[in-house]
Structure formats: structure tokens, C-alpha cells
Amino acid sequence: MPVSIPSGVSVTVADNVITVKGPKGELKQAVNPKISVEVKDGEINVTRPSDEIECRSMHGLYRALIHNMVVGVSEGYTQKLELVGVGYRATSTNQILELALGYSHTIQIQLPSEVKVEAVTDRKSNPIITLECADKQLLGQICAKIRSFRAPEPYKGKGIRFVGEEVRRKAGKSAKV
């Protein structure tokens, strides 16, 4: 299945390295020499030499990576995290995200320059961290790192979760009769 190139995005292939440039930035990806990538007629075609298991899996992987790069540089990716818990706070200044998560100290994270961060705290609602980036892999990695500081727990539901995520709740201890 070919990947269509939207207007404003340019794709070049040289020495098994694909470079995608667009309004949101520039991304590069090295491709295995077994997989061939061609750009023509506003589409990117990824082909494999044979139907071996290794070639089929790499074919799907590189096609998905290239599609994510094209979408990232044209539209970008956004992820929202919600801090659920009493006293949990988030503030952002420049590329530093500061989290108060119930520990004896605050946690400060230096984010890469490619990622835009915004922390919003409204009264009567949970703090929300909004992260934007053109690189889907980098964004997912940073979200996983932030979430690992206080993963949602099943008894009270406290922790850092994605907006709209359902946390499976467990019943607590039952009293002896």
C-alpha cells in the first residue's frame, strides 16, 4: 500500500536513508538494504525482494515508520496526560517540566527541543500536560517516561494517565465478619 505525500512535504531517499521535510520539521530514518523505497507521482512505494518472514516483517515496519514520518511533519502528533491525585501539580517553563507527585521532592524533566510542552491547571479539575511533536516514537517515549513516575494504581485510581484512559479498579480489603 503506497504512502501518499501531502502538499508541502518533500521526501528524498539516499543511501538507504529516507529524509522527510515538512512544515512541522524534518525527520530521517535508515532503512534496511533489503527493502527498496521509491518516490514517484506523489507516492512512496515500499517493496520487498521475497516473501520470507524477515522481509515481510521489515516491509510492514518500514512502511508504517515512513507513514508516521509523513503524518508527523505535515500534521504532528499530540498527547495529553492527566494527573489524578490530591496535590499533584505540573508546571512548565521553557523545556523543563516540573511535577509534584506526592513524593518528598519535585521531579524535573528536561525535554528535547523537538517537543512542545504545555501544563494547564484549572480549579476543580485535574492538571493536564499537553505534549506535541513531529516524531511519534520520541513523543511516545517521553509520555512513557513521565507516566512511569506515578503509574495509575487500581485501588484509588491515582497517578498519571492519558486523557480518556480507563483504569480498571479493584475492590479493596473486605472486613472480617
Side-chain angles (χ1 to χ4, degrees):
M1 196 167 130
V3 178
S4 62
I5 302 171
S7 61
V9 176
S10 64
V11 180
T12 56
V13 181
D15 298 330
N16 294 331
V17 175
I18 298 174
T19 306
V20 182
K21 294 180 185 174
K24 299 271 183 178
E26 176 181 343
L27 297 172
K28 292 183 180 185
Q29 175 67 47
V31 178
N32 191 302
K34 290 182 181 179
I35 303 297
S36 63
V37 179
E38 293 177 336
V39 179
K40 65 166 99 163
D41 300 331
E43 291 183 335
I44 304 169
N45 290 314
V46 181
T47 55
R48 61 179 182 243
S50 66
D51 278 342
E52 295 176 24
I53 292 174
E54 183 185 12
C55 291
R56 285 196 320 231
S57 63
M58 284 191 297
H59 180 232
L61 168 75
Y62 288 119
R63 192 253 175 230
L65 289 176
I66 292 168
H67 178 263
N68 289 343
M69 289 168 48
V70 170
V71 171
V73 298
S74 60
E75 300 168 22
Y77 289 100
T78 303
Q79 200 65 264
K80 291 186 177 190
L81 296 168
E82 181 180 20
L83 280 64
V84 179
V86 177
Y88 288 9
R89 292 186 314 276
T91 56
S92 63
T93 53
N94 298 334
Q95 290 302 105
I96 296 175
L97 180 65
E98 190 172 328
L99 302 170
L101 299 173
Y103 296 117
S104 61
H105 59 283
T106 60
I107 298 169
Q108 294 184 343
I109 308 162
Q110 176 69 43
L111 298 173
S113 60
E114 298 92 21
V115 178
K116 293 178 187 156
V117 63
E118 181 185 0
V120 178
T121 306
D122 293 329
R123 283 185 65 69
K124 305 277 185 186
S125 68
N126 295 324
I128 293 180
I129 303 167
T130 305
L131 299 165
E132 293 181 38
C133 186
D135 191 350
K136 189 175 185 179
Q137 283 179 306
L138 179 64
L139 183 65
Q141 201 170 14
I142 289 170
C143 287
K145 180 68 176 172
I146 292 171
R147 185 184 158 105
S148 72
F149 293 124
R150 190 65 96 169
E153 52 96 18
Y155 297 102
K156 292 184 180 178
K158 292 168 45 173
I160 301 173
R161 63 174 86 162
F162 295 104
V163 171
E165 177 184 4
E166 293 289 327
V167 176
R168 288 187 60 191
R169 302 292 297 271
K170 290 183 178 178
K173 287 187 195 176
S174 58
K176 262 190 170 177
V177 177

